[in-house]
Amino acid sequence: MVKLRQQCCTESTSGEQAMARSRTTKGVGSFTSEAARERFLAAYDDAMGLWSCPRQELDVETSYATTHVLRCGPDGGEPIVLLHGSGGSSTMWFPNVATLSAHHPVYAVDTPGDPGRSVQRRPIFEPEVSAAWLDEVLDGLGLTQVHLIGSSYGGWLALNQTLHSPSRIATSTLLDPGGFEKVGARFYTWLIINGLAGLLPRRLFPNLSSKLSNPVLDYPQLKRSILLGARTYRVRRPAPLPLTDEELSAVRTPTLLLIGDRSPLLHDAPSRERAQRLMPSVDAELVADTRHGPSIEHPEYVNNRILQFLKAASAGQLPRHTL
């Protein structure tokens, strides 16, 4: 059991001081230099211009990191917590936050260990430690019941939380998540191809995003922040291990699982079948014409699907949905 220290939420001011401390700590993610960090944060702020809803920026102090959180939406209602994918940040949620925050308070978390405004101080390797960190964040925000939504690595974080610390998780939505299969060569090849594509002048390849099914390439602000993060941030954590059959069977939290039917990370139909076979309360679906980013590739459909799921969960009605 990890001992948690007292939490607090403050306006975003403490990241700069924590940055200097993090550089002297082994096993934590950090930028290659202060100049690199400043360049990245300028690109991050530029990408945040894609968000279309007013927001408040908070730093939540935990035992592991100064965790940066963006909040938008009403004061009342059931809160949603967004967990982004590996190598990304909360900037990725720009197609989703306006619709979701029209119905729920929304908190987008910059995960420590990824390039963003969070600053890591202690290693976060083990699944139990990841759960302890997120518990501290939720404590600091004063949240007792939340709906987790995670994409890719963020999906693994959400799934991991429902296994190790489920008491305050009302539902979990997993968007082409880690945690069902070992990350393989197919996924890394896809990452390399898309990384190289991001370096090409858009004017020379206007249809590249549709050919690669990667709409990130259509948003220069987002693309620049991702590429800068990849070049200047040292990630210090292993790829998440897939959950065993026994572990998946132990997940009792109502779960919405959306898998791209052309996912480079998961074998779509087998992963859906495994979830349906093992998880007691899962609504699993293959999203048509989708690779690894359902929330960006088909935001309107995914937003509506999530809101329907949350409404059904609140009413105690969770029909299974498949294609």
Side-chain angles (χ1 to χ4, degrees), residues 201-220:
R202 185 183 175 193
R203 66 182 183 277
L204 299 180
F205 300 92
N207 299 319
L208 192 60
S209 62
S210 60
K211 290 178 180 178
L212 294 176
S213 297
N214 186 359
V216 169
L217 298 175
D218 290 328
Y219 298 94

Side-chain angles (χ1 to χ4, degrees), residues 26-216:
K26 293 182 179 180
V28 304
S30 63
F31 288 96
T32 55
S33 68
E34 182 61 26
R37 176 178 179 270
E38 290 176 357
R39 287 195 303 273
F40 171 82
L41 292 182
Y44 176 104
D45 291 342
D46 192 30
M48 283 304 302
L50 295 168
W51 276 44
S52 58
C53 58
R55 65 187 183 273
Q56 181 184 17
E57 301 200 22
L58 304 169
D59 280 332
V60 182
E61 294 297 342
T62 74
S63 302
Y64 304 93
T66 300
T67 303
H68 193 70
V69 181
L70 303 164
R71 188 201 184 282
C72 58
D75 291 333
E78 300 175 345
I80 288 172
V81 174
L82 303 176
L83 301 169
H84 61 78
S86 178
S89 67
S90 294
T91 57
M92 69 156 285
W93 297 110
F94 73 91
N96 317 111
V97 288
T99 298
L100 298 178
S101 67
H103 304 271
H104 297 263
V106 172
Y107 298 83
V109 178
D110 277 358
T111 305
D114 281 308
R117 284 194 169 275
S118 291
V119 182
Q120 189 177 3
R121 290 187 297 274
R122 289 174 56 190
I124 305 177
F125 286 147
E126 297 82 3
E128 297 83 358
V129 176
S130 292
W133 158 75
L134 187 52
D135 263 337
E136 290 195 34
V137 174
L138 299 180
D139 281 342
L141 294 169
L143 303 178
T144 57
Q145 281 287 294
V146 302
H147 301 285
L148 287 183
I149 300 175
S151 175
S152 189
Y153 180 77
W156 177 83
L157 285 174
L159 185 62
N160 181 70
Q161 201 72 16
T162 63
L163 178 65
H164 291 286
S165 187
S167 61
R168 74 177 88 200
I169 312 304
T171 69
S172 178
T173 296
L174 314 177
L175 305 175
D176 213 58
F180 283 88
E181 299 181 29
K182 183 179 179 181
V183 180
R186 183 176 59 148
F187 181 70
Y188 290 116
T189 300
W190 177 81
L191 282 181
I192 292 169
I193 291 172
N194 279 273
L196 293 174
L199 300 174
L200 299 175
R202 185 183 175 193
R203 66 182 183 277
L204 299 180
F205 300 92
N207 299 319
L208 192 60
S209 62
S210 60
K211 290 178 180 178
L212 294 176
S213 297
N214 186 359
V216 169

